Amino acid sequence: MLFLLCPIFMHFIVPITAQPEINFQLCVAENGNYTENSTYQANLKFLLNSVYSNTEIDYGFYNFSYGESSDKVYAIGLCRGDVKPDACRDCLNYSSRVLTARCPTEKEAIIGFDSCILRYASRSIFGLNEVAPYFFVYSLTNVSDEKGFNRSLNSLLDSLQDKAAAGDSRRKYATGKISAPNFQTIYALSQCTPDLSQTECSNCLRNASARVGQCCQERQGGRVIYPSCNFRYEINQFYETPIGEDPSSPPSKGKNNTVIIVIILSVVISVMVILIISFYTFSGKRKSREKVK
Ligand SMILES: *[C@@H]1O[C@H](CO)[C@@H](O)[C@H](O)[C@H]1NC(C)=O
Ligand SMILES: *[C@@H]1O[C@H](CO)[C@@H](O)[C@H](O)[C@H]1NC(C)=O
Ligand SMILES: *[C@@H]1O[C@H](CO)[C@@H](O)[C@H](O)[C@H]1NC(C)=O
Ligand SMILES: *[C@@H]1O[C@H](CO)[C@@H](O)[C@H](O)[C@H]1NC(C)=O
Ligand SMILES: *[C@@H]1O[C@H](CO)[C@@H](O)[C@H](O)[C@H]1NC(C)=O
Ligand SMILES: *[C@@H]1O[C@H](CO)[C@@H](O)[C@H](O)[C@H]1NC(C)=O
Ligand SMILES: *[C@@H]1O[C@H](CO)[C@@H](O)[C@H](O)[C@H]1NC(C)=O
């Protein structure tokens, strides 16, 4: 692709709550615009509707396209591996509405919540291992034994890479935990879009975890999110464990920390990217909780 990696850093401080809210969002202006009432807009609307109204898919991955030639639209919806089908559809429904409202003319866009990621484009995005743009989300709280924590974290992420990559064409997802210094436990999850091959998935996750030092050095929680794969770690269990696997610790819902979100975009040479990022006001957040839940 014609992309140069030219990082633009943007820092936002967003209070994290137990309810779904936007982790990141990007309108990709350099890949084309559509106009109001155009065929592309109609196709996009139809396509997104067919994603979140689909009740046959129960494994959280949607790779749909709709339309002809230059008006063809491609979409990928990916729910976190532990999210139930109903909650997955709700998240994608909500994502669709938020993303089309926030990117009203861009043909390509991406949005992420804790439970799902939605992207669409006018180019085929299926089966591609895409590691740009990428997004960081991390805790503002630091750990005390950085070296020891890092060692545990790296070893956990390494093992999850292979586990996730070994998944099938419906789900490439793995979770796990490891002891860390000071009686802490690190919980992590790694996931790829399952249209990647095993090798692509482990390459993508390896590439993502090599960035952990860029975002999350010393941090007690962090995420690196690519369009094709992502991982997250916390010191509390933030994912649901399938019944029978680990009954000891239920997922903890409350989060007290603030996170900083860093968004790094790829930019076409000489074309400035128009980036629309805005976060909810407090009242908007409350509203979104009700809708997505
Ligand atoms: C899309 O529109 C934006 C302004 O809204 C403009 O900056 C950008 O260059 C356009 N993209 C293309 C590919 O024409
Ligand atoms: C798009 O269609 C709506 C409903 O038919 C109409 O109200 C609106 O003016 C149209 N917009 C443009 C830019 O044509
Ligand atoms: C999508 O969300 C809207 C608003 O909450 C709701 O009215 C609609 O029924 C939902 N669609 C599906 C297919 O769940
Ligand atoms: C946490 O660690 C980061 C990265 O090393 C550092 O920039 C930051 O100041 C630290 N924060 C606190 C509260 O110690
Ligand atoms: C969509 O994903 C499924 C599951 O990974 C895969 O079998 C199928 O080939 C994909 N479809 C397209 C059009 O890439
Ligand atoms: C990750 O992938 C990008 C794009 O292919 C590449 O430029 C970068 O060097 C890779 N990083 C690592 C650590 O493999
Ligand atoms: C922690 O691990 C990352 C990823 O392997 C590495 O880049 C970083 O240098 C390590 N930091 C420390 C303090 O060991």
Short mmCIF file of all heavy atoms in Angstrom, two decimals, residues 207-233:
data_model
loop_
_atom_site.label_atom_id
_atom_site.label_comp_id
_atom_site.label_asym_id
_atom_site.label_seq_id
_atom_site.Cartn_x
_atom_site.Cartn_y
_atom_site.Cartn_z
N ASN A 207 3.98 -8.73 16.10
CA ASN A 207 4.24 -7.34 15.74
C ASN A 207 3.58 -6.39 16.76
O ASN A 207 4.18 -5.42 17.20
CB ASN A 207 3.70 -7.09 14.32
CG ASN A 207 4.13 -5.76 13.76
OD1 ASN A 207 3.88 -4.73 14.37
ND2 ASN A 207 4.76 -5.76 12.58
N ALA A 208 2.35 -6.72 17.18
CA ALA A 208 1.65 -5.87 18.15
C ALA A 208 2.36 -5.88 19.50
O ALA A 208 2.54 -4.83 20.13
CB ALA A 208 0.20 -6.32 18.30
N SER A 209 2.78 -7.07 19.95
CA SER A 209 3.35 -7.09 21.29
C SER A 209 4.73 -6.46 21.32
O SER A 209 5.18 -6.02 22.37
CB SER A 209 3.34 -8.50 21.88
OG SER A 209 4.01 -9.38 21.05
N ALA A 210 5.38 -6.36 20.16
CA ALA A 210 6.65 -5.64 20.12
C ALA A 210 6.44 -4.15 20.40
O ALA A 210 7.40 -3.43 20.70
CB ALA A 210 7.32 -5.82 18.76
N ARG A 211 5.20 -3.69 20.32
CA ARG A 211 4.92 -2.28 20.60
C ARG A 211 4.55 -2.03 22.05
O ARG A 211 4.26 -0.89 22.42
CB ARG A 211 3.75 -1.80 19.72
CG ARG A 211 4.10 -1.78 18.24
CD ARG A 211 3.18 -0.83 17.50
NE ARG A 211 3.31 -0.95 16.06
CZ ARG A 211 4.24 -0.31 15.36
NH1 ARG A 211 5.11 0.47 15.96
NH2 ARG A 211 4.28 -0.46 14.04
N VAL A 212 4.56 -3.07 22.85
CA VAL A 212 4.10 -2.90 24.22
C VAL A 212 4.96 -1.87 24.96
O VAL A 212 4.47 -1.09 25.79
CB VAL A 212 4.01 -4.25 24.98
CG1 VAL A 212 5.36 -4.79 25.37
CG2 VAL A 212 3.12 -4.13 26.19
N GLY A 213 6.24 -1.82 24.61
CA GLY A 213 7.11 -0.83 25.24
C GLY A 213 6.78 0.60 24.84
O GLY A 213 7.05 1.54 25.58
N GLN A 214 6.15 0.78 23.66
CA GLN A 214 5.81 2.12 23.20
C GLN A 214 4.63 2.73 23.95
O GLN A 214 4.50 3.94 24.05
CB GLN A 214 5.46 2.11 21.71
CG GLN A 214 6.65 1.88 20.81
CD GLN A 214 6.20 1.64 19.36
OE1 GLN A 214 5.16 2.12 18.93
NE2 GLN A 214 6.98 0.89 18.63
N CYS A 215 3.74 1.86 24.40
CA CYS A 215 2.54 2.39 25.05
C CYS A 215 2.54 2.13 26.53
O CYS A 215 2.12 2.93 27.33
CB CYS A 215 1.26 1.77 24.48
SG CYS A 215 1.15 -0.01 24.65
N CYS A 216 3.04 0.93 26.90
CA CYS A 216 2.57 0.37 28.15
C CYS A 216 3.68 0.01 29.12
O CYS A 216 3.44 -0.72 30.08
CB CYS A 216 1.70 -0.84 27.85
SG CYS A 216 0.45 -0.50 26.59
N GLN A 217 4.87 0.54 28.85
CA GLN A 217 5.98 0.34 29.76
C GLN A 217 5.57 0.74 31.18
O GLN A 217 5.11 1.85 31.38
CB GLN A 217 7.12 1.26 29.29
CG GLN A 217 8.46 0.95 29.88
CD GLN A 217 9.13 -0.17 29.13
OE1 GLN A 217 8.85 -1.34 29.40
NE2 GLN A 217 9.99 0.14 28.21
N GLU A 218 5.72 -0.17 32.13
CA GLU A 218 5.37 0.08 33.53
C GLU A 218 3.87 0.10 33.82
O GLU A 218 3.47 0.18 34.97
CB GLU A 218 5.93 1.42 34.06
CG GLU A 218 7.42 1.48 34.18
CD GLU A 218 7.87 2.84 34.74
OE1 GLU A 218 7.43 3.21 35.82
OE2 GLU A 218 8.64 3.51 34.05
N ARG A 219 3.05 0.14 32.80
CA ARG A 219 1.60 0.28 33.02
C ARG A 219 1.00 -1.01 33.53
O ARG A 219 1.33 -2.08 33.02
CB ARG A 219 0.90 0.68 31.73
CG ARG A 219 1.51 1.88 31.03
CD ARG A 219 1.45 3.10 31.89
NE ARG A 219 1.79 4.30 31.13
CZ ARG A 219 1.75 5.52 31.64
NH1 ARG A 219 1.39 5.71 32.90
NH2 ARG A 219 2.07 6.56 30.92
N GLN A 220 0.05 -0.89 34.43
CA GLN A 220 -0.55 -2.11 34.95
C GLN A 220 -1.67 -2.65 34.05
O GLN A 220 -2.24 -3.71 34.31
CB GLN A 220 -1.04 -1.92 36.37
CG GLN A 220 -2.23 -1.01 36.49
CD GLN A 220 -2.84 -1.05 37.89
OE1 GLN A 220 -2.15 -1.36 38.86
NE2 GLN A 220 -4.12 -0.76 37.97
N GLY A 221 -2.00 -1.93 33.01
CA GLY A 221 -2.97 -2.42 32.03
C GLY A 221 -2.67 -1.78 30.69
O GLY A 221 -2.20 -0.64 30.66
N GLY A 222 -2.89 -2.50 29.59
CA GLY A 222 -2.63 -1.89 28.30
C GLY A 222 -3.21 -2.69 27.15
O GLY A 222 -3.58 -3.85 27.30
N ARG A 223 -3.33 -2.03 26.02
CA ARG A 223 -3.82 -2.69 24.81
C ARG A 223 -3.09 -2.12 23.60
O ARG A 223 -2.81 -0.92 23.55
CB ARG A 223 -5.30 -2.41 24.56
CG ARG A 223 -6.15 -2.62 25.76
CD ARG A 223 -7.59 -2.22 25.46
NE ARG A 223 -8.23 -1.82 26.69
CZ ARG A 223 -9.49 -1.46 26.81
NH1 ARG A 223 -10.27 -1.44 25.73
NH2 ARG A 223 -9.98 -1.11 27.96
N VAL A 224 -2.81 -2.98 22.64
CA VAL A 224 -2.37 -2.55 21.33
C VAL A 224 -3.40 -3.11 20.36
O VAL A 224 -3.68 -4.31 20.36
CB VAL A 224 -0.96 -3.07 20.99
CG1 VAL A 224 -0.59 -2.71 19.55
CG2 VAL A 224 0.07 -2.50 21.96
N ILE A 225 -3.99 -2.23 19.57
CA ILE A 225 -5.07 -2.66 18.69
C ILE A 225 -4.72 -2.35 17.24
O ILE A 225 -4.47 -1.19 16.88
CB ILE A 225 -6.39 -1.95 19.07
CG1 ILE A 225 -6.76 -2.30 20.52
CG2 ILE A 225 -7.52 -2.38 18.13
CD1 ILE A 225 -7.32 -1.15 21.29
N TYR A 226 -4.67 -3.38 16.42
CA TYR A 226 -4.51 -3.26 14.97
C TYR A 226 -5.85 -3.62 14.34
O TYR A 226 -6.66 -4.30 14.98
CB TYR A 226 -3.49 -4.29 14.47
CG TYR A 226 -2.03 -3.99 14.74
CD1 TYR A 226 -1.14 -5.03 14.97
CD2 TYR A 226 -1.53 -2.70 14.71
CE1 TYR A 226 0.21 -4.80 15.18
CE2 TYR A 226 -0.17 -2.46 14.92
CZ TYR A 226 0.69 -3.51 15.15
OH TYR A 226 2.02 -3.27 15.35
N PRO A 227 -6.07 -3.24 13.07
CA PRO A 227 -7.29 -3.71 12.42
C PRO A 227 -7.39 -5.25 12.42
O PRO A 227 -8.47 -5.79 12.58
CB PRO A 227 -7.16 -3.17 10.99
CG PRO A 227 -6.33 -1.94 11.14
CD PRO A 227 -5.34 -2.27 12.23
N SER A 228 -6.27 -5.94 12.27
CA SER A 228 -6.32 -7.40 12.14
C SER A 228 -6.08 -8.19 13.42
O SER A 228 -6.33 -9.39 13.44
CB SER A 228 -5.30 -7.87 11.09
OG SER A 228 -5.67 -7.40 9.81
N CYS A 229 -5.54 -7.57 14.44
CA CYS A 229 -5.31 -8.30 15.68
C CYS A 229 -5.14 -7.33 16.83
O CYS A 229 -4.85 -6.15 16.61
CB CYS A 229 -4.08 -9.22 15.58
SG CYS A 229 -2.50 -8.34 15.56
N ASN A 230 -5.33 -7.82 18.02
CA ASN A 230 -5.13 -6.96 19.19
C ASN A 230 -4.88 -7.79 20.42
O ASN A 230 -5.19 -8.98 20.46
CB ASN A 230 -6.37 -6.07 19.40
CG ASN A 230 -7.60 -6.86 19.77
OD1 ASN A 230 -7.81 -7.23 20.93
ND2 ASN A 230 -8.43 -7.18 18.78
N PHE A 231 -4.27 -7.17 21.41
CA PHE A 231 -4.18 -7.82 22.71
C PHE A 231 -4.48 -6.81 23.81
O PHE A 231 -4.41 -5.59 23.59
CB PHE A 231 -2.82 -8.49 22.93
CG PHE A 231 -1.68 -7.53 23.13
CD1 PHE A 231 -1.44 -6.94 24.36
CD2 PHE A 231 -0.84 -7.23 22.08
CE1 PHE A 231 -0.40 -6.04 24.54
CE2 PHE A 231 0.21 -6.32 22.24
CZ PHE A 231 0.43 -5.73 23.48
N ARG A 232 -4.82 -7.33 24.96
CA ARG A 232 -5.12 -6.49 26.12
C ARG A 232 -4.65 -7.21 27.36
O ARG A 232 -4.78 -8.43 27.45
CB ARG A 232 -6.63 -6.26 26.20
CG ARG A 232 -7.07 -5.50 27.44
CD ARG A 232 -8.57 -5.25 27.43
NE ARG A 232 -8.94 -4.55 28.66
CZ ARG A 232 -10.19 -4.24 28.99
NH1 ARG A 232 -11.20 -4.58 28.20
NH2 ARG A 232 -10.43 -3.61 30.13
N TYR A 233 -4.09 -6.50 28.32
CA TYR A 233 -3.78 -7.11 29.61
C TYR A 233 -4.19 -6.18 30.73
O TYR A 233 -4.24 -4.95 30.56
CB TYR A 233 -2.28 -7.48 29.71
CG TYR A 233 -1.38 -6.28 29.89
CD1 TYR A 233 -1.06 -5.80 31.16
CD2 TYR A 233 -0.86 -5.61 28.79
CE1 TYR A 233 -0.24 -4.68 31.33
CE2 TYR A 233 -0.05 -4.49 28.96
CZ TYR A 233 0.25 -4.04 30.23
OH TYR A 233 1.04 -2.92 30.39
#
